[in-house]
Amino acid sequence: ASHSAADLTAADVTRHKWWGWGMDDVRFRFDNKPAFAPLAKNKIGVDLEQVTQFDDPELSDHEVPAGRLGDAEREAIVGLVGEANVRTDDEYRVLHSFGRSLPDLFHVRSGDFERLVDAVVYPGTEEEVAGLLRLAIEKDLVLIPYGGGSCISGSVTPDPAEQRPVLTVNLGRMRQVLSIDDTAGLARVQAGVYGPDLEEQLAAEGWTMGHFPDSFTYSTLGGWAATRSSGMQSDKYGDIEDIVRGMRVVHPEGTVVTNPIPGRDSGPSVHEMILGSEGRMGIITELTVQVHRLPQVRQVIAYMYPDWEHGIRGMHAIARSTDVSPTFTRLSDGPETEFSLAMVKEPTSTKGKVAAKVQDGLFAYLRSKGWDTSEEMSISYVCFEGTKETVEHQKSVVKKLVKGAGGITLGAGPGAIYDQKKFDTPYLRDFLLSYQVFGDVCDTGATWSNINEVHAKVYEAFYEAQRKQGLPGFMFCHMSHSYHSGACLYFTFALKYTSPDKALEQYYNAKRAVQQAFVDLGSTVSHHHAVGTEHQPWLTEDIGELGEHIIEGLFAQNDPGRNLNPGKVV
Ligand code: FAD
């Protein structure tokens, strides 16, 4: 359903629970997943059956420091957006002061509120956004643009040393698809729209944007553009920079407009300078995005390879093929396959029990062929879209390519399960935190030439860090977001910390080892999780001192008063 901002107030805008992922009562459960507790015990030394889970945190257990917004400033802001759209209550201020990274979740649950934003403002129009920015410059306030707050690089958190009042500008009321150019397949959309709301509005007209990051349910179009996001279907639909064709951005000196055209050669791209700028170049109010007709058929097929190297051979063959263009291609390595199998629920229906028996039989057969089905075997998912004929054709081509690389086709059943469950995994981090276990991710890019080396060396770096700190740890990885020259490697790691005062030190010992390995190997600080503050320590090694100098100049020129999300990126 579409809503005009005038119908909505701050209270109508979707928001996470203050201490974790999502806003509803979805919780991760392990009691219906027989292999999960044994995996947790073997890999990270936590006995879920024995250890008592901590209760959900209560905000009233923590002291929330008073905000610093003066009465006159508040009044001026209320004059712009209305009383209902200025929130200074504790829950709003705490929630908007953190993204959803592991350190964010740890700080928020611990009541570590060193510096909170002072108010949360919900503008309803571009004019109101412009008014807020004018006011911020006049009264020397800091504005932090905010979409869904799902960032995991510290991008929405105020600098602890900031003395000026800090306002979060939540774009959530601006969530409408304004128009669709049927001929060009271009949709003008307000920046604050959440993923499901956007796809629902587009689907009502027979369109999709095709951008589905794992955070899709609680992230927004403006946030995707401001962080250079990539969705799981990027193989077909592109990363956000391929999808966004034009934009409107409220800037300290006016509104930047990049016209929606398919390509441009008008000097260095202003458009590209704003993508990934994390709010430092202005507040994005509207984007014109490429949309596509909904495909007639969509199918996810699962494949299995004896190990990672065979799988990469298959993935590379698919990326190289002139006959197929899948919507996504994904390969889990051995440990991630083991983890995925541990996430499978105990079958209760007759159909489920039969499928489990078939799987046991298949694994026994694979073992008889010499496969290591417990630690090496690597599952892959490939998604096909199109007409029935093109999907069938592509499936038959991929089946041959997979076979040529030493893999087998499992079929549509496991593929469908993956497709339905993909947005549930974020809840696992909240669950694990209540057992003093950190589960987090680091992602990078690699070429087809060095992808196996990056994969192996990041593992070495993580386990060496864990060995040094004398803690068990578990790492797994998948490859996704395939390009002609390479793909994204997405590492997940888990560790149980020894005590709350050591927790973050132990987490950063592991995270630093992984990030350092990325840049040492000539990879990037992140494929799609932005820079914020979390990835800044490695930025110079990624883009070079001169690269950083160029970005610093850009921000200094466009925001001389440092009123726009200062301290992020560089
Ligand atoms: P926010 O977190 O609100 O903001 C992020 C940054 O963008 C901030 O610097 C903010 O100031 C700026 N910003 C937001 N809106 C605007 C605007 N309108 N104008 C200017 N600046 C703005 N990312 C991916 O790309 N792919 C994934 O698959 C993915 N999976 C994730 C899974 C989980 C569980 C989590 C927690 C995060 C994941 N992320 C992923 C990271 C995150 O979801 C993305 O960075 C996302 O693009 C952030 O969008 P948001 O609307 O939540 O932005």
Side-chain angles (χ1 to χ4, degrees):
S2 69
H3 316 264
S4 98
D7 304 335
L8 303 165
T9 67
D12 300 309
V13 175
T14 300
R15 62 183 200 278
H16 292 279
K17 41 183 170 278
W18 68 272
W19 55 268
W21 183 256
M23 64 168 183
D24 40 35
D25 292 332
V26 183
R27 295 295 158 96
F28 176 82
R29 284 175 56 192
F30 74 91
D31 53 329
N32 56 0
K33 302 178 184 72
F36 190 83
L39 184 86
K41 195 167 178 190
N42 291 340
K43 304 290 183 187
I44 43 179
V46 59
D47 189 343
L48 299 175
E49 314 278 4
Q50 297 299 322
V51 181
T52 321
Q53 187 177 11
F54 286 73
D55 290 335
D56 286 351
E58 294 284 342
L59 191 53
S60 54
D61 291 343
H62 302 300
E63 198 167 317
V64 178
R68 306 177 188 197
L69 191 66
D71 288 346
E73 291 149 347
R74 189 177 195 286
E75 231 168 81
I77 297 164
V78 168
L80 280 170
V81 297
E83 182 67 46
N85 297 313
V86 183
R87 304 297 300 238
T88 46
D89 24 335
D90 290 351
E91 193 216 314
Y92 277 75
R93 288 180 51 229
V94 168
L95 172 64
H96 287 82
S97 299
F98 299 94
R100 286 296 174 263
S101 71
L102 214 283
D104 286 330
L105 296 178
F106 184 78
H107 284 304
V108 87
R109 293 168 77 113
S110 318
D112 183 3
F113 304 148
E114 188 184 352
R115 177 67 170 103
L116 298 179
V117 298
D118 300 300
V120 185
V121 188
Y122 291 76
T125 62
E126 187 174 290
E127 291 69 38
E128 288 179 9
V129 175
L132 280 171
L133 185 49
R134 274 195 302 273
L135 191 79
I137 292 168
E138 186 191 313
K139 298 198 180 291
D140 202 14
L141 316 173
V142 169
L143 300 186
I144 303 182
Y146 186 101
S150 72
C151 62
I152 51 175
S153 338
S155 313
V156 293
T157 302
D159 180 345
E162 183 59 67
Q163 297 300 315
R164 300 172 288 177
V166 180
L167 308 179
T168 292
V169 181
N170 186 316
L171 277 294
R173 288 172 63 213
M174 298 173 64
R175 66 193 213 194
Q176 205 169 6
V177 172
L178 300 169
S179 64
I180 302 178
D181 174 343
D182 248 39
T183 313
L186 289 172
R188 277 179 57 218
V189 188
Q190 291 183 305
V193 69
Y194 274 80
D197 191 3
L198 169 64
E199 282 294 326
E200 214 177 286
Q201 292 183 56
L202 292 174
E205 309 290 328
W207 298 94
T208 177
M209 197 174 95
H211 186 76
F212 296 100
D214 292 355
S215 55
F216 173 74
T217 37
Y218 297 107
S219 57
T220 65
L221 177 59
W224 299 336
T227 57
R228 294 188 84 96
S229 161
S230 182
M232 62 184 72
Q233 300 195 156
S234 67
D235 292 18
K236 174 176 172 186
Y237 295 95
D239 298 321
I240 200 70
E241 59 264 36
D242 307 308
I243 296 170
V244 172
R245 301 288 83 205
M247 57 174 90
R248 294 182 65 86
V249 185
V250 170
H251 176 274
E253 287 174 41
T255 301
V256 182
V257 181
T258 69
N259 289 327
I261 38 165
R264 63 190 92 230
D265 179 5
S266 34
S269 169
V270 171
H271 188 83
E272 282 281 327
M273 290 172 199
I274 289 163
L275 292 170
S277 63
E278 300 186 30
R280 297 208 54 188
M281 297 281 287
I283 304 183
I284 304 165
T285 52
E286 187 185 308
L287 293 147
T288 303
V289 293
Q290 190 69 55
V291 292
H292 303 263
R293 281 296 177 197
L294 286 165
Q296 276 173 26
V297 179
R298 179 177 192 281
Q299 214 176 23
V300 180
I301 304 290
Y303 306 88
M304 196 68 96
Y305 294 94
D307 55 32
W308 169 259
E309 284 78 12
H310 283 85
I312 286 293
R313 248 174 259 160
M315 296 287 102
H316 186 201
I318 296 168
R320 276 245 164 129
S321 166
T322 49
D323 292 339
V324 288
S325 50
T327 304
F328 68 74
T329 49
R330 179 182 165 118
L331 172 71
S332 293
D333 67 3
E336 186 169 290
T337 303
E338 196 184 352
F339 168 77
S340 306
L341 291 171
M343 292 283 276
V344 173
K345 282 189 197 156
E346 183 156 32
T348 45
S349 66
T350 315
K351 199 173 154 206
K353 285 179 187 158
V354 171
K357 271 219 150 42
V358 171
Q359 181 181 298
D360 289 347
L362 173 71
F363 288 4
Y365 164 72
L366 293 174
R367 276 192 295 275
S368 76
K369 280 184 36 168
W371 288 32
D372 172 351
T373 56
S374 58
E375 291 192 337
E376 295 286 335
M377 188 172 75
S378 296
I379 197 162
S380 163
Y381 300 99
V382 179
C383 176
F384 305 94
E385 290 180 347
T387 59
K388 197 167 177 292
E389 294 74 38
T390 54
V391 166
E392 289 307 318
H393 169 71
Q394 294 200 57
K395 274 164 55 182
S396 74
V397 174
V398 168
K399 189 173 183 170
K400 282 192 205 118
L401 293 172
V402 170
K403 192 167 177 218
I408 57 163
T409 300
L410 299 181
I417 294 173
Y418 164 75
D419 217 25
Q420 285 154 19
K421 293 281 161 212
K422 62 197 173 202
F423 298 130
D424 291 348
T425 323
Y427 292 96
L428 180 58
R429 293 184 314 157
D430 290 324
F431 167 83
L432 289 175
L433 269 175
S434 58
Y435 287 94
Q436 300 203 326
V437 173
F438 283 156
D440 203 17
V441 298
C442 291
D443 67 322
T444 193
T447 63
W448 293 121
S449 323
N450 73 356
I451 197 162
N452 287 331
E453 186 195 1
V454 176
H455 179 255
K457 294 224 161 120
V458 171
Y459 266 84
E460 272 171 32
F462 171 73
Y463 281 107
E464 175 61 12
Q466 290 308 96
R467 195 190 57 73
K468 273 196 197 143
Q469 55 180 348
L471 291 177
F474 183 37
M475 174 170 259
F476 52 82
C477 175
H478 67 254
M479 182 233 96
S480 52
H481 310 284
S482 179
Y483 304 86
H484 292 300
S485 55
C488 163
L489 285 181
Y490 189 102
F491 295 88
T492 303
F493 61 93
L495 58 102
K496 178 160 169 36
Y497 59 85
T498 53
S499 62
D501 60 323
K502 291 255 166 39
L504 285 180
E505 185 190 324
Q506 290 169 346
Y507 162 79
Y508 278 115
N509 284 339
K511 161 124 180 155
R512 270 196 298 267
V514 172
Q515 291 292 145
Q516 191 58 46
F518 288 170
V519 290
D520 287 348
L521 288 158
S523 296
T524 176
V525 292
S526 175
H527 172 265
H528 58 253
H529 287 153
V531 183
T533 49
E534 289 289 330
H535 296 142
Q536 266 181 36
W538 298 276
L539 193 64
T540 320
E541 284 170 88
D542 185 335
I543 63 172
E545 277 178 20
L546 275 176
E548 236 176 358
H549 178 69
I550 292 172
I551 300 181
E552 276 161 6
L554 196 64
F555 292 166
Q557 167 82 21
N558 286 283
D559 178 30
R562 294 175 58 80
N563 303 101
L564 283 161
N565 208 7
K568 309 300 152 47
V569 187
V570 287

